Amino acid sequence: MRRNLVVVTCLAAVAVAGCGGTDGDPGAAPGAPGSAAPPASAAPEAKTADPPMAFAAGAAVALPAGALSSNVAGHVTSTFLTLRDRTGYVVTPTALNAVDVLTGKEKWTVAVEREPGDPNNQRGPFVNTTGPRPPVVTDRLAVAAVPVVVPEKGTTPASIALSVVAADPDKGVKAWQADIKVSEDQYADAGNAVTQVVAVTDKAVIARYSRQDEEHVTVALDPASGKTLWERKDYDAGSVHGDILVGTDHNVAENSSMTQATAVDLATGQQKWVGAAKSSELTAIPADPALVVLTRTDYGSGDSSLLFLDPATGAEKLKLDGEKSFGSLPYGDCFYDQQSVLVCQSDGVLTGYDAKTAGKLWSLPDQAANRVAPGLTVVWHGALYGVTQGGQPIVLDAKTGKDLSVDNVGAAPVLVSKYAGITFDKQRNAPVAYPVEK
């Protein structure tokens, strides 16, 4: 069976905070559309650190219930929030919202103007890792993507569309909404679909819609107007490298169950190169634009690997093998610190790589030094956040793998900025933000 592209939720192409995971009732409904942010003078004084070494565990701020989802153990399974400084941008099936994570107060909300295509995706009690991915936020735009239903009109039946909504990130003024039809099947639905804004650049907004083995559509939109620049079917956008977009191509003539990496021109959609052929699964890892990073599962053997490719040509620069057994899991989870380091966790081994050259920097466990690998939650600005084998939060140096902060760290966030760390609080049964302590 063909397997879908899975794309991690942080993007190297935009300047957002690292990723991994309301005032009063965290499930309270958002305020009126277009509501103004509180005046700057009302904002509390806040400690900052870049990167943070500890968080105020006793000062947790409840966030909207839809910001994160978790399993029964309290581990974050999906994030619907992008953290940028002290503002969290949350996508829901019906809106794009902004919240001050240090107060829990909503700053603004922008409504999606059509009926949601998958209205219950972010509701429990069962874990569902599909649905909308976190918004992409730049200095000019905050952009999110969700599935919507385009109602029937006369003899024209209803259809499912990918709706991309853009707003001013500070004021919450809606810039545009673009609805792109993704299925010709009048009986189609958006259940278990993945919708994602892959990148926002000066040339294009790239968004994708992927639903199991049914639809795979990538669209490029004009960032000023939302008008369609180009559209490609059977293609899942993955990562942007200057003027090059790399994604997973499901249209492989050799075998309809295979996938391959295909690069196209960002502005025109014109194909540039093809690589990583004969794959059953490809996962694009947002990292430094200097390298295309993919986790790959071989179609024939089932073996997994981590690939580093030249974005200009698709030539393979480095291949790291994972498990050697048929049907093995994908290579693992990789996180880019948005500066210079890529950290990957696979089969109990944690390894740091130079994000520009793919050179190995360090690895844990290290038996000679009597050191074990912590559980990784996020990497940001040279710091690796996670938990020890005893369940205690810890911070490591992402460039060297050495311990940076081991006492009273306060939290192991899945999202982090210089103002706060965000994760799921099992006791509160809600997403929370922990202000930076030091």
Side-chain angles (χ1 to χ4, degrees):
M1 181 179 294
R2 181 185 302 167
R3 303 184 70 178
N4 293 339
L5 170 73
V6 180
V7 182
V8 296
T9 59
C10 271
L11 298 170
V14 293
V16 297
C19 70
T22 59
D23 197 16
D25 179 10
S35 56
S41 59
E45 292 292 331
K47 293 181 180 179
T48 61
D50 187 358
M53 291 293 106
F55 304 91
V61 178
L63 298 178
L68 305 173
S69 63
S70 74
N71 57 23
V72 293
H75 300 144
V76 174
T77 55
S78 295
T79 61
F80 307 104
L81 178 149
T82 293
L83 179 60
R84 184 178 170 91
D85 291 336
R86 60 180 291 170
T87 302
Y89 298 85
V90 185
V91 58
T92 75
T94 60
L96 171 60
N97 305 310
V99 59
D100 185 327
V101 300
L102 296 187
T103 65
K105 294 182 179 179
E106 185 180 90
K107 299 176 69 173
W108 51 259
T109 183
V110 169
V112 178
E113 294 179 2
R114 291 192 184 276
E115 178 184 348
D118 193 6
N120 298 316
N121 182 275
Q122 290 168 241
R123 298 178 183 176
F126 303 109
V127 172
N128 188 350
T129 57
T130 61
R133 297 306 189 236
V136 172
V137 186
T138 69
D139 290 340
R140 296 183 178 181
L141 289 176
V143 192
V146 294
V148 297
V149 177
V150 178
E152 67 176 10
K153 187 174 183 181
T155 56
T156 302
S159 61
I160 296 296
L162 169 66
S163 186
V164 183
V165 179
D168 182 292
D170 297 318
K171 300 177 182 178
V173 176
K174 191 174 186 178
W176 46 262
Q177 177 176 334
D179 300 328
I180 302 93
K181 187 177 180 180
V182 294
S183 176
E184 300 296 332
D185 183 356
Q186 63 175 305
Y187 302 108
D189 64 73
N192 295 321
V194 172
T195 54
Q196 180 182 18
V197 177
V198 175
V200 177
T201 76
D202 291 339
K203 291 187 176 181
V205 172
I206 305 296
R208 72 177 182 105
Y209 177 99
S210 178
R211 182 172 178 266
Q212 298 175 338
D213 292 328
E214 302 299 323
E215 298 92 18
H216 302 275
V217 179
T218 290
V219 62
L221 306 173
D222 179 82
S225 65
K227 292 182 178 179
T228 299
L229 300 175
W230 56 265
E231 181 179 333
R232 187 175 180 120
K233 296 185 182 299
D234 298 320
Y235 184 75
D236 282 315
S239 57
V240 171
H241 309 264
D243 292 334
I244 297 292
L245 169 67
V246 180
T248 293
D249 196 341
H250 297 268
N251 186 12
V252 180
E254 181 179 352
N255 188 319
S256 62
S257 296
M258 289 182 181
T259 60
Q260 63 191 17
T262 297
V264 301
D265 183 272
L266 185 70
T268 67
Q270 181 181 359
Q271 185 167 310
K272 294 295 186 180
W273 53 259
V274 171
K278 297 183 179 180
S279 302
S280 62
E281 182 173 352
L282 288 174
T283 302
I285 307 299
D288 192 281
L291 289 174
V292 176
V293 184
L294 302 169
T295 59
R296 174 183 181 267
T297 302
D298 184 80
Y299 181 81
S301 67
D303 293 337
S304 63
S305 57
L306 180 67
L307 298 179
F308 296 88
L309 308 181
D310 184 334
T313 65
E316 186 177 297
K317 290 193 169 185
L318 181 66
K319 178 183 178 182
L320 302 171
D321 292 326
E323 297 181 12
K324 290 289 187 181
S325 61
F326 185 80
S328 61
L329 295 173
Y331 183 85
D333 296 321
C334 296
F335 297 82
Y336 177 48
D337 79 337
Q338 299 183 35
Q339 286 187 340
S340 63
V341 181
L342 182 74
V343 179
C344 296
Q345 185 169 252
S346 178
D347 197 25
V349 178
L350 197 61
T351 308
Y353 301 96
D354 185 299
K356 291 184 181 296
T357 68
K360 182 178 176 180
L361 300 175
W362 55 269
S363 186
L364 290 174
D366 183 347
Q367 293 183 350
N370 191 30
R371 300 183 68 219
V372 296
L376 170 62
T377 58
V378 70
V379 185
W380 188 70
H381 286 200
L384 183 157
Y385 301 86
V387 292
T388 65
Q389 291 187 352
Q392 296 302 308
I394 190 172
V395 184
L396 272 59
D397 187 318
K399 294 181 180 179
T400 66
K402 295 181 179 179
D403 294 359
L404 280 182
S405 182
V406 298
D407 297 319
N408 301 316
V409 176
V414 297
L415 299 151
V416 63
S417 75
K418 65 181 181 180
Y419 285 91
I422 294 175
T423 190
F424 193 88
D425 188 315
K426 186 178 179 181
Q427 282 67 41
R428 292 171 178 252
N429 194 32
V432 295
Y434 295 100
V436 165
E437 181 65 35
K438 65 177 182 178

